Amino acid sequence: MPDEAIPTVGGHEPTPSPFAGRVPITVALEQLRLRLLDLTGRNRLIHFRHTAGKSLQFVHTNIDAVLRRLLGDHGNNVTIAAVPEPGRADWVTRGGRLVRPDVKDHAAKVGIDTSYELYRREGRALVGPNTVSQARTLFFADDLGRHCRKLEREAKLAIEETGANMLYLVLGFLEFPESPDSEKLYRAPLLCVPVAMTRSDEGQYSTFCLNYTGEELADNLSLREKVKRDFNLNLPEFGADEDTSAEAYFEAVTDATATLPNWQVKRMMTLTLLSFTNMLLVRDLDPENWPQQAGKSSLLTHPVVKQVFEGRPSTDGAQYATEYTIDDHPGKDLPLIYDADSSQHSALIDVMKGLNRVIEGPPGTGKSQTITNLVAA
């Protein structure tokens, strides 16, 4: 690893490289964890914008009731509900044709609150619908079906391509300035519930439901680090337990940002696709998430981790691995899924002997194939 400093902004002294052995391993890991997070406006976890193909907003829905139902012991689902179909007498003439009325107008006529702000605040009291089995949208059933099928396809494609679920029910957003002296506002998700969508094709129109996947439910780590770095603000943490309440968390965030101009908690709910891949790595690199050994995190005491961060050479003293004459080597018969040249085969022999190796090379030189061969062997 190069023993060079990481430059910092603002005229401060450069931060020592985490691999130079000059900073504690805990500090080095923290540096690397933060470098995994994208804290710019390109990240939808920092600057979320609703897009027709990858998000679905809800109206007239009780956020806490939906959360309690999803997290219930019996795996209750939440139905994505459409606006009731208008009777023929409610159709309107438009362009010389008789058509259905505007969905928002009809929803208001039948008593559905069409605001995406899901609660009306009256002092400290909150009022809203108590329906716990439905999340209402501003679509008629046929339009909702098309929208949900597209989200369903996108969610399945994400799992096939990445192996990770990307479908989340976002509960609440924090609206805040891009920087302390900026008038541009960002809107970031607060709570993200991993969900799966199921479909029933019984009846005239397809019915779509959401189920909690059982994966980790947590607040937005990217947002937490963004406001800590740019505003020196520590957002309260969300604790998922038997008394989990989204509203209590919204209130805590509201109180924490009460003195800051242009900061506001938006009680909105959206079904969307988000990528938390890097955030999972960030959590994996937290020493507190590892088992304890002799009172210390097993991550901090692992010999390979110590070797990397303390800048010590490999245990066998090799700067570059040896390339063997494969035809005459005892390890020539390792099982191969992909073809391997002598350098790739040599790497497999070393690792199978228990040695640590870094596989490097330009694009197209077989690094992924070598790792695949190693896993198989």
Side-chain angles (χ1 to χ4, degrees), residues 114-308:
T114 60
S115 172
Y116 292 123
E117 291 273 2
L118 298 185
Y119 292 95
R120 293 287 182 263
R121 298 185 62 81
E122 296 179 356
R124 299 292 289 186
L126 298 169
V127 295
N130 293 317
T131 303
V132 298
S133 61
Q134 291 186 340
R136 182 74 65 179
T137 67
L138 278 181
F139 287 98
F140 290 126
D142 54 342
D143 295 328
L144 178 61
R146 284 191 291 271
H147 203 87
C148 286
R149 279 190 289 272
K150 180 171 177 56
L151 276 173
E152 184 183 36
R153 287 194 301 270
E154 292 284 346
K156 289 182 177 179
L157 182 62
I159 292 176
E160 291 171 358
E161 291 185 344
T162 69
N165 175 56
M166 292 188 182
L167 188 64
Y168 287 86
L169 186 65
V170 175
L171 309 180
F173 292 84
L174 178 63
E175 193 171 85
F176 66 103
E178 177 186 18
S179 61
D181 57 353
S182 174
E183 295 183 359
K184 181 179 180 180
L185 297 180
Y186 283 169
R187 184 174 289 179
L190 280 174
L191 301 177
C192 302
V193 184
V195 294
M197 185 186 294
T198 57
R199 177 176 62 184
S200 171
D201 292 324
E202 297 179 1
Q204 183 179 3
Y205 298 106
S206 298
T207 302
F208 295 84
C209 297
L210 299 177
N211 290 87
Y212 174 49
T213 64
E215 299 170 76
E216 184 175 6
L217 164 65
D219 49 353
N220 185 344
L221 182 58
S222 293
L223 172 62
R224 178 185 301 284
E225 294 298 336
K226 165 74 173 176
V227 301
K228 182 178 181 179
R229 186 193 69 176
D230 293 355
F231 299 91
N232 197 30
L233 173 67
N234 292 318
L235 287 179
E237 295 188 14
F238 175 74
D241 52 36
E242 64 274 7
D243 298 321
T244 293
S245 168
E247 180 54 37
Y249 182 67
F250 297 159
E251 287 288 351
V253 175
T254 298
D255 292 341
T257 59
T259 61
L260 301 175
N262 299 322
W263 290 62
Q264 187 177 8
V265 172
K266 296 287 187 180
R267 287 167 172 78
M268 306 168 75
M269 191 168 80
T270 299
L271 181 65
T272 189
L273 296 168
L274 295 170
S275 176
F276 281 83
T277 304
N278 280 2
M279 290 180 67
L280 296 176
L281 291 174
V282 170
R283 291 194 175 98
D284 280 346
L285 287 174
D286 185 349
E288 294 184 2
N289 293 334
W290 288 67
Q292 296 289 310
Q293 292 182 353
K296 292 185 177 181
S297 168
S298 58
L299 177 65
L300 300 179
T301 58
H302 195 284
V304 174
V305 173
K306 294 179 69 175
Q307 176 184 321
V308 168

Side-chain angles (χ1 to χ4, degrees), residues 13-30:
E13 290 296 323
T15 303
S17 166
F19 305 109
R22 297 198 297 270
V23 296
I25 295 179
T26 52
V27 176
L29 282 171
E30 185 65 17

